[in-house]
Amino acid sequence: MNKEIYAKELPNGIRVVFLPTRKFKTVSLGFFIHQELREDLASSHALLGEVLRRGSRRFPDNIAVRRELERLYGAELATDVLKKGERHLLSFSLSMVHDQYGPEIPDLFHRGMALLGSLVAEPLQEGEGFKPDYLDQEKEQLEREIRGLINDKTLYAMQRCLSTMCAGERFGIYKLGELEGLATVTPVSLWRYYQEVLSSNPLELYVVGEVEPERVFDTAERVFSFDRRPREEPLPATVVNKAVEEVKFKQEELPVNQAKLILGYRTNIRPGERLFYPLLVYNGVLGGFPHSKLFLNVRERASLAYYVHSRIERHKGIMVISSGIEGANYEQARGIIEEQVRAIARGEISRQEMENTRRGLINQLRTGEDNPFQKINLMLDQAIGGQGENTEEMVEKINEVTAGQVAEVAAGIQLDTVYLLQGREGGSSS
Amino acid sequence: MKPPEQVIQRNRLLGEEVYRYNLDPGMELYVLPKPGYIKKYAIFSTRFGSIDNRYRVEGGEGIQELPDGVAHFLEHKLFEDERGNVFDRFASLGASANAFTSFTNTTYLFSCTSFFEENLELLLDFVQEPYFTEETVQKEQGIIGQEIQMYADHPRWKVFTNLLGALYQEHPVRRDIAGSLESIAQINPELLYRCYQTYYHPSNMAVFVVGDLEPGRVAEQVQENLSRRPYRPLGEIERFYPEEPPEIKERRVTAELTVSNPIIYIGFKDPEVDKLGGEELFRQEIIMELLMEILFGHSEPLYNQLYQEGLIDAQFEAGYTAEQTYGYALIGGESRDPEELYRRILEAIEEMQKKGISREQFERHRRNILGGFIRRFNSLEFIAYNFLGYRFKGIDLFRFPELLQQVTLGQVTAALEKNLAERYHAVSIINPRTG
């Protein structure tokens, strides 16, 4: 099932990646502006997409943008800020029905691309900067979103753990930036920042759907035709290796019903390394699935949690275990969790655990083929990590992982930070 | 065994067709082939949700009453049997399994890219083979207790359930799907078996399968599986819901949580939804979806004005939900000033009631909604879950484009008067905890 992927660099250095497929009813576009994750840039980068989304010279306000999307037969446009390792990305995604469903609009694909291109390449300027009212409104929205992290206790606890764990590392920076940095952004400073980024940073466009390859590249070249001077050196790579000197512990108290326990580990393994696929299997055996040790022992056997799982941040080589528990059971839950980590390190991995995990990972990889934006995300991950395997080659690598390699991964994994969000009086408000 | 008879439903606009089979003893199976897809997805659903807690079976004993949260508890417990955890068996077949319970039904599912037949067999088997003991029920009380606590800290969930509690006086939709710590303490194996015998009879259930599949083969497999089991016909299940007056219970409900910003939901109770059924219910949903888009859509001046004033954020939502026994419109989200937003929304509704809806707005949103509907047919999960969910309400999802085309501006205008009448609204607000 290896679909051919076409990739081409436009004359101005923008990379265009096209995956032809007939199975979707849509054509999906993803446009990414790459940046290094850096404290002094984070707020500007996070703010940028929201300001650009508000309007361009051709579509000067949100109503104009939205009505164009309606004319494109109910197309969907979204902006997002992503953090992949120490790479900070601004993303635009556009999903529209295929030409065949909107016969009265002869060139749906071109109009969708043109809208995206207009938002990126024809920003609204007032004086020397962005429109001040758009900027002010979006600053206020972003400030609220940053403060709003606490509304989702699971995400909040996760971010608190990571910022404690990676204090002093670029990865510790929150993807939406900090309030202090946000306050200093002005229409002119953001405009200058954008001109710089647009001219020199890596830009990528992904297209998934049933379109002629020539039409994809021709349209891209016409729509994204602005002059650029791409930087010579690549953006700095994510720093992965870091020795743990002492396990950090951080506890906070809030009036909540459920306590959150997060454990952050260093794996010191990056994509492309020999132990990368064994790391994926390790994580699966430990806590990636409902058949994993954590689910089985913390939830099913000890009845301590509704959710407990481990996840890998693949670019940074960090593993995070997350669970929601009764505050009084903290010691017991942590004890059982750490015991599972030790059990794998002792080599206690059954053949069934290995096989189930392999199959689960393969299932995840292959099902990703059926979702255009998952597919785009995977291609983006590979572009950042510098890999080029297709799905079946990745399946092959997962099949080749041995229990010995998983034990090797286990030997190198170190607990770095334990974070506990503890409940206190007043949790229940009913 | 003769092969099951098939009926094919087609939708030309979508370019999709679905195969329907009626299998003994009274279960519907649907197969929708998706050529080219690698993933295969199957769901097995029962018309048993959190609101179905008073019932009687034709020819059976008297009216049965259940504590809150039984449907959800049962969903958790089916994943365990004498041999242990069912997730492990799906895992060894490379599948990802899950389940969820809503107000009106319970759904079990898996997705896989290999061993489809084995996985389908496992899905059919585990749902049809209950195993409850004192010990396993007790253990689950701890797990679900943590699930309830997790939702209690979830601002959007809290503001939503509080709103339903304000809109409804008697109807069980006002109570949490998972029940409460107290109600789930009353659940025991005997109770679970009793519900199971009724609500998990195949005549109350249906299966939907979607992927690159051969429908006839799937039908034979499912029929073979059902025929192995000694089902006896089950009488009609009669569900009892308390008499619900059209009036709301209370205008306003507020709570405090650890949040950065207030959250507000405004709800309009549909006073007559229980009198509709089948296609009329679907028509009502479509009319209301259009109306909500016309009033609150991102392309309309109201949304943009509120956004520019910082009264709403991009997550602001407006929608309508209808089931056979209840229905409501819901509008809201986070706001720095919920009182002002509340005032402005009521004002905007009133203004549109006076001024009317333009033909241009109506046509623009109709087209937009149709495009959105087509796009969703990329998703196997969307297709399976919505097709069966609507089927349980006596609705054919494929009728959507045609019904949307039939809707008139007059109908939407009438709904604006009737369904957004000021007297049927309630408001739920979560404020940041002070101190």
Side-chain angles (χ1 to χ4, degrees):
Chain A
M1 294 297 284
N2 291 340
K3 296 270 174 4
E4 212 176 330
I5 295 174
Y6 298 75
K8 190 178 157 180
E9 209 163 272
L10 300 181
N12 62 5
I14 296 177
R15 183 168 174 259
V16 181
V17 181
F18 170 51
L19 174 70
T21 163
R22 302 182 62 168
K23 67 182 162 189
F24 302 122
K25 298 198 181 307
T26 52
V27 175
S28 308
L29 312 178
F31 186 81
F32 299 94
I33 301 178
H34 292 245
Q35 180 60 290
E36 60 178 305
L37 185 62
R38 231 170 69 182
E39 200 162 3
D40 56 334
L41 305 179
S43 296
S44 294
H45 210 63
L47 194 54
L48 203 47
E50 300 313 301
V51 176
L52 293 172
R53 181 183 62 81
R54 289 294 298 276
S56 67
R57 291 203 293 277
R58 207 174 334 161
F59 305 100
D61 60 23
N62 187 52
I63 292 184
V65 173
R66 294 285 152 184
R67 297 218 171 158
E68 176 68 1
L69 291 167
E70 286 173 348
R71 278 188 287 270
L72 300 179
Y73 220 45
E76 195 173 1
L77 170 77
T79 51
D80 202 1
V81 184
L82 312 175
K83 173 170 140 180
K84 290 179 178 290
E86 288 162 355
R87 185 74 63 95
H88 203 188
L89 298 118
L90 162 56
S91 98
F92 289 86
S93 47
L94 183 68
S95 166
M96 56 192 158
V97 296
H98 190 267
D99 284 356
Q100 75 184 81
Y101 298 102
E104 67 270 43
I105 295 183
D107 204 351
L108 213 49
F109 173 69
H110 181 265
R111 291 220 13 205
M113 288 274 281
L115 172 59
L116 191 60
S118 179
L119 293 175
V120 169
E122 305 169 349
L124 262 188
Q125 190 177 10
E126 201 172 295
E128 300 290 294
F130 282 105
K131 259 174 80 83
D133 53 338
Y134 285 2
L135 185 83
D136 287 345
Q137 288 157 12
E138 294 306 330
K139 274 172 79 170
E140 194 189 316
Q141 293 279 356
L142 186 59
E143 177 182 335
R144 234 180 285 159
E145 208 181 328
I146 292 169
R147 292 187 196 278
L149 177 63
I150 199 162
N151 301 346
D152 184 328
K153 306 297 176 286
T154 307
L155 286 182
Y156 173 78
M158 183 88 79
Q159 179 57 33
R160 295 295 287 168
C161 179
L162 290 175
S163 60
T164 305
M165 179 165 167
C166 300
E169 292 173 81
R170 291 194 290 136
F171 191 73
I173 300 164
Y174 183 40
K175 70 171 183 174
L176 298 181
E178 303 297 334
L179 295 175
E180 299 76 50
L182 182 62
T184 65
V185 180
T186 67
V188 175
S189 77
L190 192 66
W191 182 268
R192 288 190 185 139
Y193 173 72
Y194 186 50
Q195 296 309 315
E196 169 67 27
V197 164
L198 199 59
S199 172
S200 52
N201 281 42
L203 307 181
E204 287 187 301
L205 172 71
Y206 291 85
V207 180
V208 174
E210 188 186 353
V211 194
E212 287 297 305
E214 303 75 48
R215 192 164 159 224
V216 171
F217 295 112
D218 289 352
T219 311
E221 199 168 328
R222 263 186 292 155
V223 167
F224 297 97
S225 59
F226 47 91
D227 288 337
R228 304 183 67 237
R229 259 191 278 165
R231 47 191 288 165
E232 307 266 305
E233 319 87 70
L235 292 172
T238 299
V239 178
V240 170
N241 293 319
K242 188 162 188 296
V244 180
E245 277 145 31
E246 194 183 7
V247 176
K248 296 191 267 293
F249 178 75
K250 187 177 178 73
Q251 176 168 341
E252 278 186 283
E253 279 190 13
L254 281 176
V256 290
N257 292 291
Q258 185 177 65
K260 308 287 183 193
L261 173 59
I262 317 283
L263 287 84
Y265 291 80
R266 305 266 178 187
T267 73
N268 297 321
I269 296 167
R270 69 177 81 230
E273 286 183 359
R274 186 179 62 92
L275 288 179
F276 180 69
Y277 286 94
L279 171 64
L280 297 185
V281 174
Y282 170 92
N283 178 60
V285 170
L286 178 66
F289 296 98
H291 69 257
S292 305
K293 286 182 187 293
L294 289 176
F295 190 88
L296 191 67
N297 289 287
V298 180
R299 172 171 150 147
E300 296 298 305
R301 293 218 172 106
S303 192
L304 289 177
Y306 168 65
Y307 76 88
V308 53
H309 52 68
S310 60
R311 298 272 184 273
I312 298 285
E313 207 294 332
R314 62 171 62 212
H315 301 284
K316 181 68 181 170
I318 279 176
M319 180 178 76
V320 178
I321 297 174
S322 170
S323 72
I325 56 170
E326 183 69 43
N329 295 332
Y330 156 67
E331 300 278 348
Q332 193 194 354
R334 180 175 168 180
I336 297 173
I337 289 171
E338 292 196 75
E339 173 52 27
Q340 305 318 306
V341 176
R342 284 193 296 271
I344 301 188
R346 288 195 300 267
E348 291 170 24
I349 307 165
S350 70
R351 212 163 70 190
Q352 199 193 0
E353 284 174 316
M354 277 297 284
E355 283 318 304
N356 289 359
T357 298
R358 244 194 257 284
R359 288 181 175 163
L361 289 170
I362 291 169
N363 190 45
Q364 282 175 356
L365 277 174
R366 288 190 174 143
T367 54
E369 295 284 308
D370 287 342
N371 179 316
F373 286 104
Q374 263 181 42
K375 189 71 201 171
I376 289 175
N377 190 51
L378 178 72
M379 293 189 285
L380 176 67
D381 275 336
Q382 290 188 320
I384 293 171
Q387 295 90 58
E389 305 109 323
N390 64 31
T391 299
E392 289 313 308
E393 286 161 353
M394 290 189 266
V395 166
E396 194 53 39
K397 296 214 162 140
I398 286 168
N399 278 325
E400 284 165 3
V401 173
T402 64
Q405 288 172 323
V406 175
E408 216 179 314
V409 170
I413 277 185
Q414 292 170 298
L415 178 62
D416 184 296
T417 299
V418 178
Y419 173 85
L420 177 64
L421 175 62
Q422 187 60 280
R424 75 166 125 81
E425 269 318 283
S428 182
S429 61
S430 45
Chain B
M1 201 184 310
K2 73 175 178 26
E5 229 172 273
Q6 68 184 29
V7 178
I8 305 175
Q9 293 166 242
R10 289 196 173 83
N11 184 298
R12 196 169 306 173
L13 173 74
L14 293 168
E16 302 284 5
E17 51 186 32
V18 65
Y19 293 67
R20 189 184 80 215
Y21 303 87
N22 289 318
L23 306 178
D24 282 339
M27 192 184 82
E28 283 186 348
L29 163 71
Y30 293 87
V31 184
L32 190 144
K34 270 282 195 185
Y37 272 68
I38 300 167
K39 178 161 77 175
K40 296 169 176 69
Y41 184 74
I43 68 175
F44 194 179
S45 287
T46 165
R47 297 170 176 87
F48 178 32
S50 67
I51 64 169
D52 300 310
N53 51 15
R54 279 186 84 216
Y55 66 96
R56 180 172 59 199
V57 181
E58 185 192 348
E61 295 163 47
I63 293 178
Q64 308 286 314
E65 300 230 16
L66 303 175
D68 289 336
V70 172
H72 174 257
F73 205 100
L74 192 48
E75 174 231 295
H76 271 237
K77 270 340 303 159
L78 277 188
F79 278 97
E80 188 170 353
D81 62 20
E82 288 134 298
R83 291 192 289 150
N85 188 334
V86 174
F87 284 118
D88 285 346
R89 269 164 269 161
F90 277 110
S92 66
L93 295 168
S96 164
N98 212 337
F100 49 91
T101 307
S102 71
F103 290 118
T104 54
N105 53 58
T106 311
T107 298
Y108 301 84
L109 60 95
F110 72 83
S111 66
C112 72
T113 51
S114 57
F115 302 112
F116 170 74
E117 283 177 21
E118 290 84 348
N119 279 306
L120 181 60
E121 203 64 16
L122 177 54
L123 176 71
L124 296 168
D125 286 349
F126 97 84
V127 174
Q128 292 182 93
E129 290 163 12
Y131 173 78
F132 314 124
T133 69
E134 290 290 348
E135 190 196 349
T136 64
V137 166
Q138 214 169 26
K139 188 199 77 185
E140 210 64 31
Q141 280 159 345
I143 296 170
I144 294 176
Q146 279 311 309
E147 188 176 1
I148 291 171
Q149 298 291 51
M150 180 179 82
Y151 279 105
D153 287 330
H154 205 289
R156 291 254 173 172
W157 184 250
K158 185 91 185 155
V159 73
F160 171 65
T161 52
N162 281 356
L163 178 69
L164 292 180
L167 288 174
Y168 284 87
Q169 307 194 29
E170 305 291 340
H171 196 286
V173 72
R174 65 191 311 281
R175 297 195 296 273
D176 235 314
I177 291 170
S180 63
L181 296 177
E182 296 75 35
S183 76
I184 64 169
Q186 299 166 41
I187 293 173
N188 57 50
E190 190 266 330
L191 180 76
L192 293 177
Y193 277 116
R194 195 146 40 86
C195 293
Y196 183 87
Q197 301 307 339
T198 301
Y199 283 120
Y200 282 72
H201 189 278
S203 60
N204 191 49
M205 303 184 75
V207 170
F208 195 104
V209 182
V210 51
D212 199 343
L213 291 158
E214 164 59 52
R217 273 182 65 182
V218 177
E220 278 173 37
Q221 186 189 348
V222 178
Q223 184 176 57
E224 209 279 317
N225 186 295
L226 289 177
S227 70
R228 286 204 300 267
R229 301 168 198 276
Y231 283 113
R232 274 177 292 178
L234 183 78
E236 196 73 21
I237 304 172
E238 216 182 330
R239 294 157 161 89
F240 298 95
Y241 303 102
E243 189 72 27
E244 175 69 35
E247 283 73 35
I248 60 163
K249 181 177 164 66
E250 53 189 329
R251 180 70 69 210
R252 171 188 280 267
V253 52
T254 59
E256 286 194 351
L257 273 184
T258 307
V259 291
S260 62
N261 238 337
I263 308 171
I264 175 171
Y265 275 2
I266 302 163
F268 287 83
K269 182 174 174 176
D270 191 319
E272 286 177 0
V273 71
D274 54 333
K275 296 183 184 63
L276 306 172
E279 202 147 286
E280 288 314 303
L281 187 66
F282 203 18
R283 201 186 302 278
Q284 170 72 354
E285 276 190 63
I286 293 169
I287 291 169
M288 288 303 293
E289 186 181 346
L290 254 167
L291 176 59
M292 300 309 271
E293 281 296 311
I294 289 168
L295 266 165
F296 303 109
H298 289 212
S299 62
E300 296 301 324
L302 177 67
Y303 170 90
N304 288 279
Q305 186 60 37
L306 296 173
Y307 183 90
Q308 284 163 31
E309 289 178 41
L311 284 169
I312 58 172
D313 61 23
Q315 274 75 51
F316 176 77
E317 51 188 314
Y320 174 80
T321 301
E323 294 293 337
Q324 280 158 327
T325 60
Y326 65 90
Y328 53 84
L330 182 155
I331 305 142
E334 279 186 36
S335 181
R336 64 173 165 78
D337 187 348
E339 299 300 336
E340 174 65 7
L341 179 59
Y342 177 32
R343 196 181 65 75
R344 296 281 290 277
I345 285 172
L346 292 187
E347 197 180 85
I349 292 169
E350 205 188 317
E351 198 188 321
M352 189 160 283
Q353 283 166 342
K354 281 192 203 130
K355 189 181 87 187
I357 298 162
S358 76
R359 168 68 55 186
E360 182 273 335
Q361 274 181 308
F362 173 76
E363 293 301 344
R364 191 157 47 74
H365 285 288
R366 169 145 75 182
R367 180 189 164 82
N368 191 47
I369 288 172
L370 185 58
F373 182 75
I374 295 170
R375 273 194 288 112
R376 288 193 186 91
F377 272 75
N378 271 355
S379 159
L380 306 189
E381 291 83 352
F382 170 86
I383 296 170
Y385 187 62
N386 281 281
F387 202 97
L388 270 201
Y390 279 108
R391 182 68 201 104
F392 283 173
K393 298 191 257 184
I395 292 168
D396 172 4
L397 183 67
F398 278 3
R399 296 275 295 145
F400 184 93
E402 199 181 325
L403 289 175
L404 180 65
Q405 223 41 53
Q406 286 172 11
V407 168
T408 64
L409 179 53
Q411 287 172 320
V412 177
T413 308
L416 172 62
E417 294 296 330
K418 201 175 74 185
N419 285 94
L420 298 181
E422 208 247 338
R423 60 189 285 224
Y424 295 129
H425 90 274
V427 56
S428 165
I429 297 175
I430 300 279
N431 282 310
R433 192 184 300 276
T434 47

